[in-house]
Amino acid sequence: MNPRILTEIILFLYEGIVHAQVHGTVSDRSTKEKLVGASIIIKGKNLGTISDTEGRFEVLAVSGDLLELSYIGYKNKTIAISPEGSELQVYLESDPQQLEEVIITGVFDPRKRIESSVAITTITTKQLQYIVPNSSSELLRMVPGVFVQSARGELRNQIYSRGMVFDGSVYYISMQEDGLPMVSGQSGNPGGYLRSDIGLQKIEAVRGGSASILGVNAPGGIFNYISKSGGDQFEGMISSRVGLEGNGRNPYLRMEGSMGGPLSNDKSWTYHIGGHYRRADGAKYPGYPLSHGGQIKWNIVKTYSSGSLKFYAKWLDDHTKDFEFTPTRDFDKPRPAGQFKNYSSVLIDAVQLTIPSSGDGVRTIDYDSRDLNHLKDNSLSLHWEQRLGSSWKTSHALKYAQKRSTDVGTFIVYPSDVSSFLFNIVFDIFGNQGKYKFSNAATKQVYGTLTHDFTSSAAFTFDGNLPGADIISNGVFFTPLYYVDSKLNDFFYQGTVSKTWNTMKVTGGLYSNKSRTRYYNASASSGTGLSTIEDKPQLIAIEYAPADGGPVQHYTDPLGVSGYNYGPIYAQYNDVKTWDNALFIGHQWDINSRLNLDWGARYEWFRFSNSYRVPTANQKSTSGGFDKNPLTIYDNYSGALTAPVFYKKRSDAYSHSGGLNYKHNKNLAFYVRYSNGSKVADISTYTASQDAGSSANVLPQETIQLEGGVKYQSKTVGITVTPFLSILADVPYATFASNSVGSNATFYNLPVLYNKAHATGIELEASIQINPQWNIRSNAVIQQFYTDKYQTWNTNDLGPQDDIIIDQSGKKISYYAAPYIINITPSYQHKKIYAGLNWYSLARRTANINEAFYLPAFSQFDLNLSYALNKRINLKCSINNLFDHFGVMDWTAPILNGVFFGTFDTGSVTKETIKQNPNANYYTMAIQPRAFFLDCTIKL
């Protein structure tokens, strides 16, 4: 045999023997978080790969080869391949001088920020561990361009991105948990079901850009809360928190736990479980705990050479309540009125009673004010990722969730003058001459007597001493009770298939959501009450003595509740079913080593149906009501719901987005992006205009965004500057009105009005490592919001003959799109010590579109101190709202006619209104008062 041929055969066989497929996992040394997109190169050879979404990699190498591993934000590491084994567990040590990270939200494949044409902010574990937020939504204050109205606590937070402020609190964004929406894209406020605790790994917040094609009905942004998963070594910690809220008055207790690690010897199976329990009297203590409950989340991950399986589960059972507005005085410098403080509660004391059913479809209500808003969320999800050869990849995510919200409370708590004409009409005591004795339902203390005497020039007079005279004379809080029960079943699926070439990648996907919401609003069935105007209001019992000398009648029950099955708004039952589907495609192309292009499109078709029932006219009993006692007036109303009324709607939407990113060098990059999103209508848009089996036909809403960005990244400095333009077009205003009142009332739909607005601004984000100890992180936005076309209906009297359009186009407003929002956190960290001071500043804003007055600018300071006793035990002290500022976030209109009606219509308040009533009381929602917390965290 030819010696040359023999030599080649021997070398070929030798290489076949010594070459081996080396497998491994790349993780963060301290957090054990898997690193996506880490670079693995065989030194001296033109061979290499990157780690996948589970941090795994495989490469063909021989014994003695040197693997060089690198990842932005971490120190490089070199490993020699030994003949003993081919499974590597590589830990990279973070480099505080580097600030870059790989993103997975809002992009079609994992990509470094400096290489992406998406405006995204990542809130990391290290940032989360030093702060104590009032809610999971409040964490988004760390994202430039985002306004968060989190003064209410965990519930009903309003979140606006890039000046998109029309139509509800989360109308333009998608709140996600582990990559799937919290609720269907057209319904509700998901913040109530979202809790941040020790099991939260990070938050990725995408603003605008590709959110229109990769989020569900979310042109404003995607906010993805990503859970921790287990590593290849056991990690665990427990944390306890004690605190005093309400400026040091009300106790707070919280326990959290987290643990995870391998489940199999080869560490291909891992697990993580974590959760919390809390019990707190609240920032505004009503006399019973304002929060109690918790959640448990767990996941199991199976990783194999070509993919992974992830199983997620969540159990949430929580009672909490959003804070009520505070009586306020002075429009120039708002402050709590009278004896009220920012920590005063206007929720009624503990009340338990049963309201019997009044007829068909009306529920028997077991009302207990201590139930608060009881939230439940049970969900299961599966994420499967599979690589098909070297260039194909598919992923699938499924989630089934059962959610329930049972909301027990008071609908409105605003003062009314018991001697005013309108009050006596609203409270249904007009026309009954005699005396109404007001007394404390619990203590029996008599407050005074309201006299009805129509022979006198003063038909209504009150003789006595009611609390709250410094707020309103002869005043009480009008306190309707309500019970709202909402059940939501959601099924989500999202799947993608992608093909990779040398310089480009194409991804196609399908999204589907089937949802059913059964919503029962029993606000008309839970009775009404009057309560004292003071901190922790007390219900008032009322006895009526007729002028003709007849027997005394009980206008309220012994607890102070009247008008069973008769309230300020009608009960309503909706059974809503939706089916939302979308197809999307994305293309990414690395044109050269510096320039990359990505574009995508999304087509969505939405189907909606509703079966709803509303009350018939309430009837007053002549036989004594439920207890058959004519002297107990409070239970003398009855009624029923109408037969079910059914209708269907459909809406289709198309969106597209494209961006270019130019990487000038390893430190500097520029990008530009255009996005045109088409958004289908929110569920509430249909239900707010439904009548007689029909509802408004609503056009899809168009959103346009143009943005650019400059990104600079070095070992010590990271700066991003992002100018943007947001345009909102075809924003629907849909409503209906009444032709008549009473048992034969009829309604009609008004034509839908379509409005348009735009916002311009600049987002700023920076992180500066001054030296190894000092760091400054900051974000800010400077913006302006304009109403290009803004029209609403004023229906005036009954019937359509006097309906008019109110046009307020061409105005600059800044209610939720504040002219500037600034968030700066300087911090010091050295060995065992950490100290950070967060400064949050919100600009002076118009109170409404009429610029009736301005909500003052304010600042909030939060102090966080941490000390590590040893490697396992860490202590943290936090003071939120350090200087106890009264920063106004929201407001309601002043009481001008003796009853509460005007408080809802903030849009009608004008400069003239304020000028004529400079000392009027109104109501504000301010940031939560100062709070103190002490945490102890123990690593297991």
Side-chain angles (χ1 to χ4, degrees):
M1 180 180 293
N2 189 309
R4 179 181 174 184
I5 296 176
L6 180 60
T7 302
E8 290 181 354
I9 293 174
I10 293 172
L11 288 173
F12 174 79
L13 293 174
Y14 173 76
E15 289 185 0
I17 294 170
V18 298
H19 274 83
Q21 198 78 0
V22 178
H23 302 272
T25 304
V26 189
S27 308
D28 181 294
R29 177 171 293 280
S30 59
T31 67
K32 303 304 185 289
E33 178 186 1
K34 302 298 188 297
L35 299 180
V36 181
S39 174
I40 300 96
I41 296 175
I42 301 177
K43 190 173 182 179
K45 299 181 180 180
N46 190 25
L47 295 173
T49 186
I50 61 172
S51 58
D52 62 20
T53 55
E54 296 301 321
R56 292 188 61 82
F57 67 89
E58 56 184 43
V59 65
L60 192 65
V62 298
S63 177
D65 275 348
L66 296 177
L67 295 188
E68 292 185 332
L69 295 96
S70 62
Y71 192 74
I72 298 295
Y74 290 81
K75 297 177 180 178
N76 294 346
K77 190 167 187 176
T78 301
I79 296 178
I81 300 299
S82 64
E84 284 79 16
S86 61
E87 183 68 32
L88 302 176
Q89 302 294 335
V90 183
Y91 294 99
L92 298 184
E93 189 174 336
S94 63
D95 185 349
Q97 307 298 322
Q98 297 189 50
L99 307 172
E100 181 72 311
E101 67 270 352
V102 170
I103 57 176
I104 61 174
T105 305
V107 294
F108 284 99
D109 67 342
R111 190 169 283 263
K112 299 173 185 177
R113 285 186 62 186
I114 204 165
E115 297 173 346
S116 174
S117 57
V118 174
I120 189 167
T121 296
T122 302
I123 305 171
T124 64
T125 303
K126 293 181 180 179
Q127 295 170 263
L128 295 170
Q129 68 182 347
Y130 292 121
I131 58 178
V132 182
N134 290 316
S135 68
S136 55
S137 300
E138 190 175 74
L139 293 169
L140 300 179
R141 292 197 320 189
M142 302 166 72
V143 181
V146 175
F147 172 86
V148 184
Q149 205 289 65
S150 59
R152 285 185 174 271
E154 291 279 5
L155 300 176
R156 297 179 178 88
N157 291 315
Q158 297 164 313
I159 305 170
Y160 298 100
S161 174
R162 291 188 169 176
M164 294 186 171
V165 300
F166 277 149
D167 288 8
S169 59
V170 291
Y171 188 74
Y172 294 99
I173 64 172
S174 175
M175 301 286 282
Q176 298 187 357
E177 196 168 38
D178 296 313
L180 287 174
M182 288 295 302
V183 298
S184 54
Q186 298 77 29
S187 63
N189 189 327
Y193 300 102
L194 193 58
R195 296 290 186 271
S196 61
D197 59 23
I198 204 168
L200 178 63
Q201 178 66 42
K202 63 180 177 179
I203 302 172
E204 289 190 345
V206 175
R207 294 148 0 242
S210 59
S212 60
I213 55 173
L214 287 172
V216 184
N217 241 10
I222 303 171
F223 303 107
N224 188 14
Y225 290 66
I226 300 171
S227 304
K228 290 181 179 177
S229 57
D232 50 28
Q233 292 184 353
F234 174 79
E235 290 276 333
M237 63 179 65
I238 56 174
S239 179
S240 62
R241 177 180 300 157
V242 294
L244 291 171
E245 297 182 292
N247 200 16
R249 287 168 172 77
N250 309 322
Y252 178 103
L253 174 64
R254 183 183 182 100
M255 296 293 296
E256 299 188 22
S258 169
M259 65 177 66
L263 280 173
S264 60
N265 291 333
D266 64 359
K267 301 179 182 180
S268 64
W269 287 91
T270 62
Y271 76 96
H272 184 272
I273 184 169
H276 73 271
Y277 174 82
R278 80 175 187 283
R279 184 179 179 87
D281 284 352
K284 301 182 178 185
Y285 178 53
Y288 43 90
L290 208 55
S291 293
H292 57 94
Q295 74 174 3
I296 297 174
K297 294 170 65 177
W298 60 265
N299 61 72
I300 295 176
V301 179
K302 167 61 177 177
T303 304
Y304 51 95
S305 60
S306 59
S308 64
L309 281 170
K310 299 180 182 178
F311 304 90
Y312 290 87
K314 176 181 176 180
W315 174 84
L316 170 73
D317 193 332
D318 189 64
H319 298 255
T320 190
K321 195 66 182 172
D322 50 317
F323 300 116
E324 296 289 339
F325 287 79
T326 299
T328 303
R329 184 161 291 164
D330 196 337
F331 294 97
D332 293 326
K333 297 180 180 179
R335 64 187 186 278
Q339 301 300 311
F340 283 87
K341 307 294 183 184
N342 195 20
Y343 50 78
S344 301
S345 174
V346 294
L347 296 178
I348 59 173
D349 202 356
V351 173
Q352 297 172 274
L353 75 159
T354 297
I355 307 290
S357 169
S358 64
D360 178 40
V362 179
R363 297 186 186 179
T364 295
I365 302 298
D366 291 319
Y367 183 95
D368 188 342
S369 60
R370 298 170 301 179
D371 281 342
L372 311 170
N373 193 342
H374 187 185
L375 296 144
K376 294 183 177 181
D377 183 2
N378 300 308
S379 61
L380 294 170
S381 60
L382 170 66
H383 296 239
W384 175 38
E385 186 176 282
Q386 179 68 50
R387 291 185 298 281
L388 307 171
S390 59
S391 62
W392 287 90
K393 180 180 175 181
T394 183
S395 65
H396 305 271
L398 303 96
K399 180 168 76 170
Y400 177 72
Q402 291 182 332
K403 293 181 171 65
R404 184 169 186 177
S405 171
T406 308
D407 195 0
V408 179
T410 48
F411 174 57
I412 47 174
V413 184
Y414 295 118
S416 297
D417 179 355
V418 301
S419 63
S420 73
F421 175 80
L422 284 175
F423 169 82
N424 286 272
I425 292 290
V426 171
F427 205 57
D428 195 37
I429 56 179
F430 178 75
N432 298 317
Q433 293 203 102
K435 295 183 180 294
Y436 293 84
K437 183 175 73 173
F438 286 50
S439 59
N440 187 299
T443 67
K444 311 307 178 185
Q445 174 191 353
V446 177
Y447 294 121
T449 301
L450 173 66
T451 301
H452 284 198
D453 183 0
F454 301 115
T455 65
S456 170
S457 59
F460 311 106
T461 58
F462 184 82
D463 182 21
N465 185 23
L466 281 164
D470 52 353
I471 303 296
I472 186 172
S473 298
N474 304 323
V476 294
F477 278 139
F478 184 44
T479 314
L481 312 184
Y482 71 78
Y483 177 95
V484 178
D485 186 12
S486 178
K487 299 177 181 178
L488 173 64
N489 288 359
D490 261 324
F491 175 78
F492 298 93
Y493 168 77
Q494 181 160 295
T496 64
V497 176
S498 61
K499 166 67 175 176
T500 303
W501 289 270
N502 290 333
T503 59
M504 63 179 62
K505 180 177 182 178
V506 174
T507 301
L510 168 68
Y511 168 84
S512 184
N513 165 238
K514 293 206 74 168
S515 175
R516 183 182 184 187
T517 304
R518 285 161 289 178
Y519 178 84
Y520 185 85
N521 180 345
S523 297
S525 305
S526 302
T528 59
L530 302 180
S531 59
T532 56
I533 299 176
E534 59 182 331
D535 184 18
K536 303 179 185 66
Q538 303 291 301
L539 281 173
I540 296 173
I542 303 176
E543 293 180 352
Y544 168 56
D548 60 8
V552 172
Q553 302 175 29
H554 298 280
Y555 195 82
T556 69
D557 70 7
L559 296 174
V561 179
S562 70
Y564 292 7
N565 299 293
Y566 184 85
I569 63 172
Y570 288 138
Q572 184 168 284
Y573 176 77
N574 287 279
D575 189 352
V576 175
K577 297 177 182 178
T578 64
W579 190 16
D580 191 15
N581 297 279
L583 290 171
F584 55 90
I585 187 171
H587 175 219
Q588 293 172 293
W589 178 24
D590 292 327
I591 299 172
N592 55 45
S593 61
R594 294 186 176 185
L595 183 64
N596 67 67
L597 164 72
D598 76 274
W599 66 270
R602 183 185 187 96
Y603 175 71
E604 183 173 4
W605 59 103
F606 175 66
R607 304 296 180 263
F608 169 95
S609 67
N610 187 19
S611 174
Y612 72 95
R613 306 179 70 181
V614 296
T616 59
N618 291 314
Q619 302 294 323
K620 195 168 184 178
S621 171
T622 57
S623 61
F626 294 104
D627 61 5
K628 306 303 179 184
N629 182 354
L631 300 181
T632 56
I633 305 174
Y634 53 83
D635 65 348
N636 285 0
Y637 288 95
S638 63
L641 298 181
T642 61
V645 181
F646 181 80
Y647 67 93
K648 291 182 178 182
K649 295 291 176 183
R650 60 174 290 169
S651 182
D652 295 357
Y654 170 75
S655 303
H656 57 273
S657 178
L660 275 169
N661 190 87
Y662 176 73
K663 188 176 179 182
H664 180 69
N665 54 44
K666 67 177 183 180
N667 303 117
L668 181 64
F670 308 88
Y671 86 92
V672 63
R673 175 174 286 276
Y674 172 82
S675 303
N676 188 318
S678 188
K679 176 178 168 47
V680 302
D682 189 85
I683 287 175
S684 62
T685 305
Y686 294 116
T687 58
S689 62
Q690 65 192 17
D691 171 54
S694 66
S695 182
N697 291 311
V698 184
L699 295 173
Q701 181 177 331
E702 185 179 16
T703 62
I704 297 174
Q705 289 195 65
L706 179 64
E707 61 187 283
V710 179
K711 298 171 286 186
Y712 177 79
Q713 205 80 47
S714 72
K715 291 184 177 181
T716 57
V717 175
I719 298 176
T720 303
V721 181
T722 311
F724 67 85
L725 166 66
S726 299
I727 300 174
L728 310 179
D730 295 326
V731 181
Y733 177 82
T735 188
F736 67 95
S738 176
N739 277 308
S740 57
V741 295
S743 58
N744 297 317
T746 59
F747 301 89
Y748 62 96
N749 292 324
L750 284 93
V752 178
L753 301 176
Y754 291 97
N755 294 316
K756 183 178 180 180
H758 74 276
T760 59
I762 299 176
E763 299 166 344
L764 307 168
E765 188 172 16
S767 181
I768 303 172
Q769 193 74 38
I770 299 173
N771 59 38
Q773 289 79 42
W774 284 98
N775 175 268
I776 298 177
R777 298 186 68 93
S778 63
N779 67 77
V781 64
I782 303 169
Q783 60 188 345
Q784 182 61 65
F785 181 86
Y786 303 84
T787 59
D788 302 302
K789 180 182 179 183
Y790 186 70
Q791 297 180 330
T792 58
W793 282 105
N794 183 345
T795 57
N796 291 305
D797 297 328
L798 295 173
Q801 67 279 353
D802 58 355
D803 295 347
I804 60 173
I805 293 175
I806 305 298
D807 194 324
Q808 294 176 306
S809 304
K811 293 190 175 184
K812 297 179 182 180
I813 60 174
S814 57
Y815 184 21
Y816 289 122
Y820 69 78
I821 305 173
I822 300 173
N823 199 34
I824 300 177
T825 305
S827 62
Y828 173 84
Q829 188 168 18
H830 181 62
K831 295 183 179 179
K832 297 182 177 183
I833 298 173
Y834 170 88
L837 180 67
N838 177 247
W839 172 48
Y840 178 77
S841 180
L842 195 65
R844 180 174 178 259
R845 298 164 289 146
T846 57
N848 64 3
I849 199 168
N850 298 321
E851 298 180 285
F853 67 100
Y854 283 82
L855 303 177
F858 70 86
S859 293
Q860 176 181 339
F861 294 88
D862 299 329
L863 177 65
N864 297 282
L865 306 171
S866 178
Y867 180 75
L869 293 177
N870 52 46
K871 292 182 177 181
R872 291 184 176 272
I873 302 176
N874 189 81
L875 297 177
K876 180 179 68 177
C877 173
S878 300
I879 306 176
N880 289 351
N881 196 0
L882 180 64
F883 301 109
D884 201 31
H885 284 165
F886 188 74
V888 176
M889 299 290 285
D890 206 349
W891 71 291
T892 65
I895 302 289
L896 300 177
N897 54 12
V899 293
F900 62 85
F901 285 133
T903 62
F904 300 115
D905 191 9
T906 57
S908 66
V909 180
T910 64
K911 294 179 180 179
E912 190 64 25
T913 307
I914 302 303
K915 183 178 179 180
Q916 293 176 357
N917 303 274
N919 298 316
N921 292 297
Y922 63 112
Y923 295 84
T924 60
M925 178 65 67
I927 59 175
Q928 294 188 28
R930 180 164 42 209
F932 306 86
F933 300 100
L934 180 64
D935 290 54
C936 178
T937 301
I938 302 174
K939 291 184 178 181
L940 303 177

